[in-house]
Amino acid sequence: MGRKFVLLFTTLALAGAAFAVDSGPVLPDAAAQVARNKAVAGRVFEEIFNQGKFQVAEEVYAQDFVNHGLHRNYDLQEDQAAVHAEKKAFPDLKMSVLLMASEGDLVTAVWVFRGTHTGSGYDGLPPTGVKLELRGITVWRIVDGKIREEWTEFDELQAAQQFVTQLKWPLLGFLFVALILAWTFCRVILRLRRPQLARGTS
């Protein structure tokens, strides 16, 4: 009985050791994949947005990339056109990553967008000088080192509020000048028409 127990114990120990050896490399491979995916995501923020190296998109995005918008999807060309427009409108654009997490083929990043609107190309607005700061979140699906899908959310109302708040006094000044001009124009028209009205009644 004792020999059988020792034999059984030895067999189980060897099987367990063999299983541990077989399953051991899975964890380092998974950790390596997580690190690779985070590095790809990091390149988008640092190289494309912050440094303006738009050619990096060819290295990190898949050709069949899809950005899942709220109402419709955007392909790679449309997505990168938007990035170009943002960088043109905010030449000092800085994207800071606050938090990045990865699981399987998904990478999630919480980021902060900071920039000064000194260029044209942001929703058709002329340069305003507004300093914009937004926080958002992006989830990417990365397959074989390439970004295949994206989901991004940020508070667009907050962006609009920052524009209105910073442009409030210039807008009020513009409105005041427009009202004065309209009042002056009406007075001039009335003065010109007064003699005609007087002749018509006489």
Side-chain angles (χ1 to χ4, degrees):
M1 181 71 180
R3 263 189 255 168
K4 288 183 182 178
F5 180 74
V6 170
L7 184 61
L8 179 62
F9 179 77
T10 305
T11 304
L12 288 174
L14 289 173
F19 178 76
V21 168
D22 287 342
S23 62
V26 171
L27 290 176
D29 283 350
Q33 180 187 353
V34 165
R36 282 193 302 269
N37 289 349
K38 283 185 173 182
V40 169
R43 293 188 71 188
V44 174
F45 292 111
E46 185 55 37
E47 296 181 45
I48 297 177
F49 279 104
N50 293 347
Q51 299 175 22
K53 296 180 179 176
F54 301 120
Q55 69 277 9
V56 170
E58 297 175 11
E59 301 173 23
V60 298
Y61 288 94
Q63 288 299 313
D64 58 350
F65 165 82
V66 176
N67 185 338
H68 299 282
L70 181 60
H71 300 293
R72 75 177 188 92
N73 293 336
Y74 301 88
D75 62 19
L76 182 58
Q77 186 177 356
E78 292 172 304
D79 180 81
Q80 289 305 296
V83 172
H84 282 251
E86 286 179 350
K87 191 65 176 174
K88 181 181 176 185
F90 299 88
D92 63 344
L93 171 61
K94 176 74 174 175
M95 294 284 275
S96 304
V97 178
L98 302 180
L99 174 69
M100 190 179 287
S102 179
E103 181 178 352
D105 60 359
L106 298 177
V107 175
T108 301
V110 178
W111 46 262
V112 172
F113 172 115
R114 293 183 182 93
T116 310
H117 185 226
T118 56
S120 59
Y122 186 70
D123 289 338
L125 284 176
T128 60
V130 167
K131 293 185 180 300
L132 194 63
E133 181 172 308
L134 295 170
R135 186 168 66 179
I137 186 166
T138 295
V139 178
W140 280 302
R141 188 168 75 88
I142 301 176
V143 179
D144 297 328
K146 300 274 189 176
I147 300 173
R148 297 283 296 275
E149 294 182 89
E150 175 181 327
W151 296 263
T152 292
E153 288 297 329
F154 65 93
D155 190 348
E156 294 185 42
L157 181 58
Q158 185 187 32
Q161 287 174 337
Q162 289 182 52
F163 271 93
V164 169
T165 301
Q166 294 180 49
L167 294 176
K168 178 173 59 180
W169 295 114
L171 285 174
L172 286 174
F174 176 78
L175 182 60
F176 180 70
V177 168
L179 285 172
I180 289 177
L181 289 173
W183 178 76
T184 305
F185 179 74
C186 288
R187 286 192 56 121
V188 168
I189 293 297
L190 284 174
R191 279 188 185 173
L192 292 173
R193 292 205 52 184
R194 197 171 290 156
Q196 294 175 352
L197 291 172
R199 281 196 299 269
T201 55
S202 60

